[in-house]
Amino acid sequence: MLGVIGIIISLGLLMYLAYKGWSVIILAPLLALLAAAFAIFDGGSVHLLATYTESFMVNLANYVKNYFPIFLLGALFGKVMDDSGAAKSIAVFISEKIGKGKEIWAVVLSCAIITYGGVSLFVAAFAIYPIGAALFKEADIPKRLLPPAIALGAFTFTMTAIPGTPQIQNAIPMKYFGTDAFAAPILGIVAAVIMLLGGMFWLTSRLTKARALGEGYGEHGDSHLHGTDTTNLPSFTVSILPILFVLVGNFILSKQVFPNIDAAYLETDYKTTLTAVLGSWSLIISLIVGVLLAIGLNYKRFDDIRRCLREGVQGSFLAIMNTASEVGYGNVIKGLAAFSIVAAGMTSISANPLIGEAISSSVLAGITGSASGGLSIALETFSETFMARAAEQGISPEVLHRVASVACGGLDTLPHNGAVITLLGITGMTHKQCYANIGMCTVVIPTFAVIAIIILGSFGVV
């Protein structure tokens, strides 16, 4: 019993202190050892130093080994697209084409296009905010609806649902299910439509209500924001090309090129299979081409290309270490005897593996405050169980991939989530002002999307 109490206290402190701004890199090992200490008092055979070096650090290192190239290249691509002005160019083009009266659509679609192309969620928020603030202010739309609009475009359907998205949440399941980034395209599109249209319905209904009450943009001390200087931005065509190359290249490599190569050497020399690495290889090469193309097309627009690349690299370190620390923490927790009670509960709720997978991915994402961290822990712990049950019921691994990916993007954005805290910091808003609408767009509606694709996937839709 003490072991279960220790896990609850540890998780509660992780969520609370992360919400208060403490570094997860510091918190994760300390709170993992706190839970382990409770297990000792509960009569378990746990050794704290060994738990740290042989469980926490080993799992942290394995996560870095598996996903660092994608984090690194994604951060570089996002930084290059930001510093070159390409991300802003896309946002300006969309806002001009959509026109007045559709400012929320302009913000959501701008975020969606650049994140679907591989730009990180954080870069999207930084790049779109000044433009979105100018649009909202001119249209007298309450500023409290701007963070939810950015979150809807960047943190939901392009992160987990649309087939081919290079975001890490869509890359993680490839390793466990032998799939690629385009797994279960019909389910992905269905989930994306539910999230996009559901979120837009919610935000537009909130706008209608606010205007009926006479609420406008408000006074927020951001009079210095005037959109963005468009005099030296690249054209929309030049800006969108690197994104198209990432998406098209990923598709061709994963569907046509790598499946047709002779990769027998992988089993004999590296103890792995082409199926296990195909998705990652395709994404890595596509992002490399995207980075090089974005630099080549915009070289003269960089003040200092070396500084840009250096900052991109540095940004990737913090991103992957935050997530890897949460993965290390989760693996310590899952190794404790008391966790077997939690695991049994999550896997025995239903005989349908899609339901168990969705619950475990979402709950662990909520606990860690990280979609990728929670997803990694869930699949590392339960993927073999889910695969075996899916095979018995004739459910495709592609369906497992898509359900896991979409599900991790639900409870991950609870108030302690790092992306939510960063977004509010960028926009100068508070949880009290914005979180109810953020939560509706990134937690509640995505949960309905998961339910929908579980039902469709159970009937064989891929």
Side-chain angles (χ1 to χ4, degrees):
M1 186 61 185
L2 278 177
V4 175
I5 294 173
I7 291 175
I8 294 171
I9 291 174
S10 174
L11 293 175
L13 286 173
L14 178 64
M15 295 173 67
Y16 175 75
L17 294 175
Y19 173 77
K20 288 294 186 180
W22 285 77
S23 169
V24 172
I25 297 174
I26 296 173
L27 292 176
L30 294 177
L31 294 177
L33 294 180
L34 174 64
F38 271 86
I40 293 174
F41 291 117
D42 201 23
S45 179
V46 179
H47 303 279
L48 294 183
L49 286 177
T51 296
Y52 175 66
T53 60
E54 306 308 311
S55 179
F56 181 89
M57 287 305 302
V58 167
N59 284 286
L60 179 151
N62 283 338
Y63 186 86
V64 174
K65 173 248 180 188
N66 287 326
Y67 299 111
F68 179 65
I70 297 173
F71 271 89
L72 173 63
L73 292 168
L76 287 174
F77 185 64
K79 187 63 177 171
V80 168
M81 290 289 287
D82 189 21
D83 281 14
S84 67
K88 289 184 175 69
S89 174
I90 293 170
V92 170
F93 177 87
I94 292 172
S95 62
E96 289 177 349
K97 292 300 180 183
I98 287 180
K100 292 185 179 298
K102 297 182 176 63
E103 291 80 9
I104 295 178
W105 274 104
V107 170
V108 172
L109 293 180
S110 296
C111 289
I113 288 175
I114 62 176
T115 52
Y116 184 48
V119 175
S120 78
L121 317 179
F122 298 101
V123 170
F126 275 108
I128 302 303
Y129 167 59
I131 301 163
L135 289 173
F136 274 44
K137 192 168 188 177
E138 182 179 351
D140 204 26
I141 298 172
K143 189 183 178 184
R144 63 184 176 83
L145 297 179
L146 181 55
I150 293 174
L152 174 60
F155 300 176
T156 60
F157 57 98
T158 56
M159 184 179 83
T160 63
I162 299 183
T165 177
Q167 298 295 337
I168 189 67
Q169 293 81 3
N170 189 43
I172 289 171
M174 299 189 300
K175 173 184 177 230
Y176 298 95
F177 302 131
T179 50
D180 58 44
F182 296 87
I186 296 176
L187 295 183
I189 292 170
V190 168
V193 168
I194 292 172
M195 285 188 260
L196 173 59
L197 297 185
M200 284 304 306
F201 173 80
W202 178 261
L203 291 179
T204 53
S205 68
R206 297 303 92 191
L207 174 58
T208 300
K209 183 176 181 181
R211 283 183 165 159
L213 295 173
E215 181 184 358
Y217 182 81
E219 296 295 329
H220 298 284
D222 54 6
S223 58
H224 61 289
L225 292 173
H226 300 287
T228 186
D229 181 7
T230 61
T231 55
N232 193 38
L233 293 179
S235 69
F236 175 76
T237 301
V238 168
S239 301
I240 204 72
L241 272 177
I243 288 177
L244 294 177
F245 266 79
V246 170
L247 297 173
V248 175
N250 189 14
F251 181 83
I252 293 174
L253 289 169
S254 63
K255 298 296 187 182
Q256 302 295 328
V257 177
F258 285 130
N260 295 313
I261 67 172
D262 181 6
Y265 68 92
L266 287 172
E267 294 190 42
T268 56
D269 297 344
Y270 296 96
K271 310 304 179 187
T272 188
T273 64
L274 179 61
T275 301
V277 299
L278 179 150
S280 296
W281 285 6
S282 302
L283 192 50
I284 288 169
I285 293 178
S286 300
L287 284 170
I288 290 173
V289 173
V291 170
L292 294 176
L293 185 60
I295 292 174
L297 292 174
N298 300 286
Y299 189 80
K300 293 183 179 180
R301 292 188 175 87
F302 292 97
D303 294 330
D304 185 344
I305 188 63
R306 289 175 297 179
R307 177 188 58 77
C308 172
L309 295 177
R310 183 172 62 250
E311 290 179 356
V313 170
Q314 291 170 346
S316 73
F317 291 158
L318 181 60
I320 194 168
M321 286 305 297
N322 276 332
T323 305
S325 294
E326 291 168 338
V327 170
Y329 169 86
N331 277 279
V332 170
I333 298 298
K334 84 169 189 180
L336 301 177
F339 184 74
S340 61
I341 300 173
V342 179
M346 286 193 287
T347 57
S348 63
I349 288 175
S350 171
N352 187 330
L354 301 180
I355 295 176
E357 181 186 51
I359 291 172
S360 61
S361 298
S362 190
V363 168
L364 290 169
I367 287 171
T368 61
S370 165
S372 55
L375 179 60
S376 296
I377 297 168
L379 296 187
E380 187 69 32
T381 307
F382 305 120
S383 62
E384 292 183 2
T385 300
F386 297 141
M387 279 285 280
R389 291 182 181 178
E392 292 173 359
Q393 298 178 30
I395 297 174
S396 167
E398 290 197 9
V399 177
L400 288 171
H401 173 133
R402 189 56 55 203
V403 168
S405 181
V406 174
C408 79
L411 296 181
D412 66 312
T413 43
L414 291 176
H416 66 293
N417 172 258
V420 171
I421 293 169
T422 301
L423 173 60
L424 293 174
I426 292 169
T427 57
M429 304 299 283
T430 66
H431 281 80
K432 183 177 180 180
Q433 292 169 311
C434 301
Y435 186 75
N437 291 314
I438 292 175
M440 181 60 69
C441 292
T442 66
V443 177
V444 177
I445 294 171
T447 299
F448 284 107
V450 174
I451 293 170
I453 64 173
I454 286 175
I455 295 171
L456 292 174
S458 299
F459 286 99
V461 178
V462 179

